[in-house]
Amino acid sequence: MMKKVLISVGVILIVAGIAIGVLYFTKHSTQVPANNTPVVVPVPDLSKDYGACRILDETSIKTALGTIATTLQAPQNMGIAQDKLAGAGVSDIVSDSQVCIYAFNTGGTVKNGYNSDNAFIIQETAYSNESGPKSLIEQQKLDPTSVIIEQLGDVAFYNASTAAKGPGAINSFGLQVFTGKTSVEYTIHQSAETASFTSETGKAALTQLAKLAKQV
């Protein structure tokens, strides 16, 4: 099991998961194979539904993302997980998130994180502390790599990560929209070697999708 670490001006968000940290589980089931050796099979927590797999339809996603989404796979609901934040100014935040993966290619399994390193991903987060995501928003405003996108929610931030090189390197484009005590993050992951998006085209596509998103 791996972890996803997002760093923004000293704020670290750690989410337990596999592949790139997008597979969440809070309970397990046990299966016994032919050799009688117990195997722990992860089961997603589906006790709540924040609508991560319902706020956009597949036609809208394909239209906005273009040819990379020609073989877009059906949404994979990863369930709910408690977020863990560490760093200056965010100790008051209490939140949990639901992640939905739309892989760009077939063959997604638990072992490969449902191809989440080559996918469009939606993460919907609910903040239960009194001030909501206020301190997190203030930290984002201080981040020189964040670009504020106007006319989306209360405030929205775009980030692109294209500096990674070499085998296995991933380009990431993310747009996080804060509204009240919720946030929705739209992310594109692509192999750096075959990436079709640039920082600007990624921003345009994600902004288009955020504007189309339903309120659920």
Side-chain angles (χ1 to χ4, degrees):
M1 187 172 287
M2 299 174 66
K3 292 182 178 180
K4 176 183 180 183
V5 181
L6 301 177
I7 303 176
S8 173
V9 195
V11 177
I12 303 176
L13 170 61
I14 304 175
V15 180
I18 69 171
I20 50 173
V22 294
L23 184 55
Y24 300 155
F25 298 109
T26 60
K27 55 186 178 180
H28 296 81
S29 64
T30 302
Q31 295 180 349
V32 180
N35 61 7
N36 292 320
T37 302
V39 176
V40 176
V41 179
V43 178
D45 177 8
L46 303 179
S47 60
K48 294 184 285 188
D49 181 9
Y50 291 155
C53 289
R54 295 185 287 115
I55 62 175
L56 284 169
D57 61 76
E58 293 181 43
T59 299
S60 297
I61 296 172
K62 288 181 178 181
T63 299
L65 300 184
T67 56
I68 190 175
T70 301
T71 56
L72 189 75
Q73 302 301 294
Q76 184 70 42
N77 182 5
M78 312 286 27
I80 301 290
Q82 188 74 30
D83 300 324
K84 297 179 181 179
L85 290 89
V90 295
S91 59
D92 66 314
I93 293 180
V94 180
S95 64
D96 57 9
S97 299
Q98 178 185 18
V99 168
C100 185
I101 301 173
Y102 293 84
F104 294 140
N105 55 297
T106 60
T109 66
V110 170
K111 288 184 177 181
N112 63 23
Y114 295 99
N115 292 322
S116 52
D117 57 351
N118 185 36
F120 171 63
I121 301 169
I122 299 173
Q123 176 175 326
E124 185 141 1
T125 301
Y127 303 88
S128 56
N129 54 294
E130 185 175 352
S131 60
K134 182 178 179 180
S135 56
L136 186 58
I137 291 171
E138 293 306 312
Q139 292 282 9
Q140 285 260 42
K141 289 180 179 178
L142 296 174
D143 186 348
T145 67
S146 291
V147 177
I148 293 178
I149 305 298
E150 303 291 344
Q151 299 180 335
L152 283 177
D154 297 332
V155 64
F157 302 95
Y158 173 75
N159 286 272
S161 176
T162 59
K165 305 296 180 184
I170 301 297
N171 282 4
S172 180
F173 310 91
L175 173 63
Q176 189 170 19
V177 182
F178 292 91
T179 306
K181 287 192 173 184
T182 66
S183 69
V184 182
E185 186 168 7
Y186 308 88
T187 304
I188 299 168
H189 286 137
Q190 286 188 289
S191 166
E193 294 181 347
T194 59
S196 57
F197 282 98
T198 65
S199 178
E200 287 303 311
T201 59
K203 179 171 69 175
L206 293 176
T207 300
Q208 179 182 340
L209 287 169
K211 289 180 177 179
L212 292 172
K214 307 170 188 174
Q215 297 297 318
V216 296

mmCIF file of all heavy atoms in Angstrom, residues 26 31 44 50 58 60 113-114 121 124 168 172 184 191 193 205 209:
data_model
loop_
_atom_site.group_PDB
_atom_site.id
_atom_site.type_symbol
_atom_site.label_atom_id
_atom_site.label_comp_id
_atom_site.label_asym_id
_atom_site.label_seq_id
_atom_site.Cartn_x
_atom_site.Cartn_y
_atom_site.Cartn_z
ATOM 1 N N THR A 26 -11.724 0.947 4.097
ATOM 2 C CA THR A 26 -11.837 1.042 5.540
ATOM 3 C C THR A 26 -12.222 -0.277 6.179
ATOM 4 O O THR A 26 -12.311 -0.366 7.390
ATOM 5 C CB THR A 26 -12.889 2.091 5.929
ATOM 6 O OG1 THR A 26 -14.152 1.703 5.383
ATOM 7 C CG2 THR A 26 -12.511 3.458 5.411
ATOM 8 N N GLN A 31 -10.891 -14.169 2.014
ATOM 9 C CA GLN A 31 -11.202 -15.325 1.200
ATOM 10 C C GLN A 31 -10.132 -16.390 1.442
ATOM 11 O O GLN A 31 -8.972 -16.076 1.665
ATOM 12 C CB GLN A 31 -11.212 -14.951 -0.285
ATOM 13 C CG GLN A 31 -12.320 -13.959 -0.644
ATOM 14 C CD GLN A 31 -12.292 -13.609 -2.116
ATOM 15 O OE1 GLN A 31 -11.339 -13.934 -2.811
ATOM 16 N NE2 GLN A 31 -13.342 -12.964 -2.576
ATOM 17 N N PRO A 44 -14.095 -1.482 -0.580
ATOM 18 C CA PRO A 44 -14.279 -0.033 -0.439
ATOM 19 C C PRO A 44 -15.417 0.289 0.521
ATOM 20 O O PRO A 44 -16.396 -0.444 0.617
ATOM 21 C CB PRO A 44 -14.611 0.419 -1.861
ATOM 22 C CG PRO A 44 -15.170 -0.790 -2.524
ATOM 23 C CD PRO A 44 -14.451 -1.961 -1.919
ATOM 24 N N TYR A 50 -20.751 10.861 -1.911
ATOM 25 C CA TYR A 50 -20.686 12.305 -2.103
ATOM 26 C C TYR A 50 -20.948 12.713 -3.560
ATOM 27 O O TYR A 50 -20.967 13.889 -3.877
ATOM 28 C CB TYR A 50 -19.320 12.836 -1.661
ATOM 29 C CG TYR A 50 -19.091 12.760 -0.168
ATOM 30 C CD1 TYR A 50 -17.802 12.697 0.360
ATOM 31 C CD2 TYR A 50 -20.157 12.757 0.720
ATOM 32 C CE1 TYR A 50 -17.581 12.636 1.729
ATOM 33 C CE2 TYR A 50 -19.949 12.700 2.093
ATOM 34 C CZ TYR A 50 -18.656 12.633 2.586
ATOM 35 O OH TYR A 50 -18.446 12.576 3.955
ATOM 36 N N GLU A 58 -20.209 10.659 -18.873
ATOM 37 C CA GLU A 58 -19.056 10.218 -19.669
ATOM 38 C C GLU A 58 -18.944 10.962 -20.992
ATOM 39 O O GLU A 58 -17.834 11.194 -21.485
ATOM 40 C CB GLU A 58 -19.137 8.708 -19.896
ATOM 41 C CG GLU A 58 -18.954 7.904 -18.613
ATOM 42 C CD GLU A 58 -19.007 6.401 -18.843
ATOM 43 O OE1 GLU A 58 -18.406 5.926 -19.815
ATOM 44 O OE2 GLU A 58 -19.669 5.713 -18.043
ATOM 45 N N SER A 60 -19.601 14.137 -21.561
ATOM 46 C CA SER A 60 -18.958 15.420 -21.277
ATOM 47 C C SER A 60 -17.464 15.245 -21.065
ATOM 48 O O SER A 60 -16.652 16.060 -21.535
ATOM 49 C CB SER A 60 -19.589 16.073 -20.052
ATOM 50 O OG SER A 60 -20.943 16.379 -20.267
ATOM 51 N N GLY A 113 -4.133 -0.344 -9.301
ATOM 52 C CA GLY A 113 -4.823 0.883 -8.924
ATOM 53 C C GLY A 113 -5.848 1.326 -9.939
ATOM 54 O O GLY A 113 -6.129 2.514 -10.067
ATOM 55 N N TYR A 114 -6.415 0.356 -10.659
ATOM 56 C CA TYR A 114 -7.410 0.636 -11.699
ATOM 57 C C TYR A 114 -6.876 1.643 -12.731
ATOM 58 O O TYR A 114 -7.591 2.516 -13.201
ATOM 59 C CB TYR A 114 -8.721 1.110 -11.074
ATOM 60 C CG TYR A 114 -9.378 0.047 -10.249
ATOM 61 C CD1 TYR A 114 -9.242 0.039 -8.866
ATOM 62 C CD2 TYR A 114 -10.086 -0.991 -10.845
ATOM 63 C CE1 TYR A 114 -9.816 -0.974 -8.093
ATOM 64 C CE2 TYR A 114 -10.669 -1.999 -10.077
ATOM 65 C CZ TYR A 114 -10.521 -1.982 -8.706
ATOM 66 O OH TYR A 114 -11.084 -2.988 -7.953
ATOM 67 N N ILE A 121 -9.589 11.667 -12.819
ATOM 68 C CA ILE A 121 -10.004 11.329 -11.459
ATOM 69 C C ILE A 121 -10.765 12.495 -10.834
ATOM 70 O O ILE A 121 -10.373 13.658 -10.972
ATOM 71 C CB ILE A 121 -8.776 10.985 -10.589
ATOM 72 C CG1 ILE A 121 -8.016 9.802 -11.203
ATOM 73 C CG2 ILE A 121 -9.190 10.674 -9.149
ATOM 74 C CD1 ILE A 121 -6.659 9.558 -10.581
ATOM 75 N N GLU A 124 -14.135 14.147 -4.346
ATOM 76 C CA GLU A 124 -15.060 15.054 -3.675
ATOM 77 C C GLU A 124 -14.834 14.938 -2.179
ATOM 78 O O GLU A 124 -14.855 13.844 -1.612
ATOM 79 C CB GLU A 124 -16.508 14.732 -4.036
ATOM 80 C CG GLU A 124 -17.490 15.723 -3.468
ATOM 81 C CD GLU A 124 -18.630 16.060 -4.420
ATOM 82 O OE1 GLU A 124 -18.667 15.499 -5.530
ATOM 83 O OE2 GLU A 124 -19.465 16.896 -4.041
ATOM 84 N N GLY A 168 8.323 5.697 -15.811
ATOM 85 C CA GLY A 168 7.320 5.754 -14.758
ATOM 86 C C GLY A 168 6.909 7.143 -14.334
ATOM 87 O O GLY A 168 6.029 7.292 -13.484
ATOM 88 N N SER A 172 0.776 15.471 -14.049
ATOM 89 C CA SER A 172 -0.474 15.623 -13.319
ATOM 90 C C SER A 172 -1.012 17.035 -13.482
ATOM 91 O O SER A 172 -0.266 18.010 -13.352
ATOM 92 C CB SER A 172 -0.244 15.322 -11.832
ATOM 93 O OG SER A 172 -1.443 15.459 -11.105
ATOM 94 N N VAL A 184 -14.194 19.907 -4.722
ATOM 95 C CA VAL A 184 -14.113 18.882 -5.761
ATOM 96 C C VAL A 184 -12.813 19.100 -6.517
ATOM 97 O O VAL A 184 -12.540 20.213 -6.979
ATOM 98 C CB VAL A 184 -15.299 18.942 -6.738
ATOM 99 C CG1 VAL A 184 -15.184 17.812 -7.764
ATOM 100 C CG2 VAL A 184 -16.621 18.836 -5.996
ATOM 101 N N SER A 191 1.206 9.433 -18.463
ATOM 102 C CA SER A 191 2.636 9.144 -18.518
ATOM 103 C C SER A 191 3.365 10.344 -19.116
ATOM 104 O O SER A 191 2.932 10.909 -20.122
ATOM 105 C CB SER A 191 2.898 7.902 -19.376
ATOM 106 O OG SER A 191 4.268 7.806 -19.700
ATOM 107 N N GLU A 193 6.030 10.358 -20.707
ATOM 108 C CA GLU A 193 6.617 10.011 -22.005
ATOM 109 C C GLU A 193 5.614 10.151 -23.145
ATOM 110 O O GLU A 193 5.996 10.398 -24.290
ATOM 111 C CB GLU A 193 7.162 8.582 -21.972
ATOM 112 C CG GLU A 193 8.343 8.400 -21.021
ATOM 113 C CD GLU A 193 8.864 6.979 -21.031
ATOM 114 O OE1 GLU A 193 8.173 6.096 -21.578
ATOM 115 O OE2 GLU A 193 9.963 6.754 -20.500
ATOM 116 N N ALA A 205 -9.209 22.144 -20.289
ATOM 117 C CA ALA A 205 -10.087 20.970 -20.242
ATOM 118 C C ALA A 205 -10.734 20.822 -18.870
ATOM 119 O O ALA A 205 -11.941 20.574 -18.763
ATOM 120 C CB ALA A 205 -9.298 19.712 -20.595
ATOM 121 N N LEU A 209 -14.757 21.105 -17.673
ATOM 122 C CA LEU A 209 -15.462 20.050 -16.948
ATOM 123 C C LEU A 209 -16.043 20.565 -15.627
ATOM 124 O O LEU A 209 -17.160 20.217 -15.251
ATOM 125 C CB LEU A 209 -14.518 18.884 -16.692
ATOM 126 C CG LEU A 209 -14.189 18.039 -17.928
ATOM 127 C CD1 LEU A 209 -13.043 17.082 -17.644
ATOM 128 C CD2 LEU A 209 -15.421 17.271 -18.397
#
